[in-house]
């Protein structure tokens, strides 16, 4: 089991991509990976299961399609990028 807490926090895009590649490689190799992140792009690229927390409480869990539920993500206090103008 590989447990990661904000593994790309503070990294530039190149290093973020490297970390994402290593995580994907570990998962493809059969390792169970649990990753906590506020980076919705990273989560979209890696997740096959998602748990959304708000105030330390699980508010939703399911497949990666949860990451497309803008109302849910905003209610959970996550920056969806809509205000910043970047696409999912």
């Amino acid at each position: 089991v590989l447990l990661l807490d904000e593994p790309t926090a503070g990294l530039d895009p190149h290093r973020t991509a490297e970390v994402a590649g290593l995580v994907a490689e570990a998962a493809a190799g059969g390792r169970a990976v649990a990753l906590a992140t506020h980076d919705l792009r990273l989560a979209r690229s890696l997740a096959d299961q998602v748990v959304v927390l708000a105030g330390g409480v699980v508010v939703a869990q399911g497949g990666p399609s949860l990451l497309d539920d803008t109302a849910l993500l905003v209610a959970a206090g996550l920056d969806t990028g809509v205000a910043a103008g970047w696409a999912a």
Side-chain angles (χ1 to χ4, degrees):
V1 175
L2 179 60
L3 302 173
L4 301 165
D5 183 13
E6 299 288 355
T8 60
L11 298 182
D12 63 45
H14 177 75
R15 295 291 179 224
T16 295
E18 284 184 357
V19 170
L22 291 171
V23 173
E25 184 178 305
R31 188 170 314 261
V33 178
L35 183 141
T37 186
H38 287 84
D39 183 340
L40 297 177
R41 290 179 187 178
L42 180 67
R44 281 185 182 94
S45 72
L46 295 173
D48 57 12
Q49 291 294 310
V50 173
V51 176
V52 178
L53 302 173
V57 176
V58 174
V59 294
Q61 62 185 44
S65 63
L66 287 176
L67 298 173
D68 296 324
D69 185 341
T70 302
L72 169 68
L73 299 177
V74 169
L78 294 167
D79 181 0
T80 62
V82 172
W86 49 267

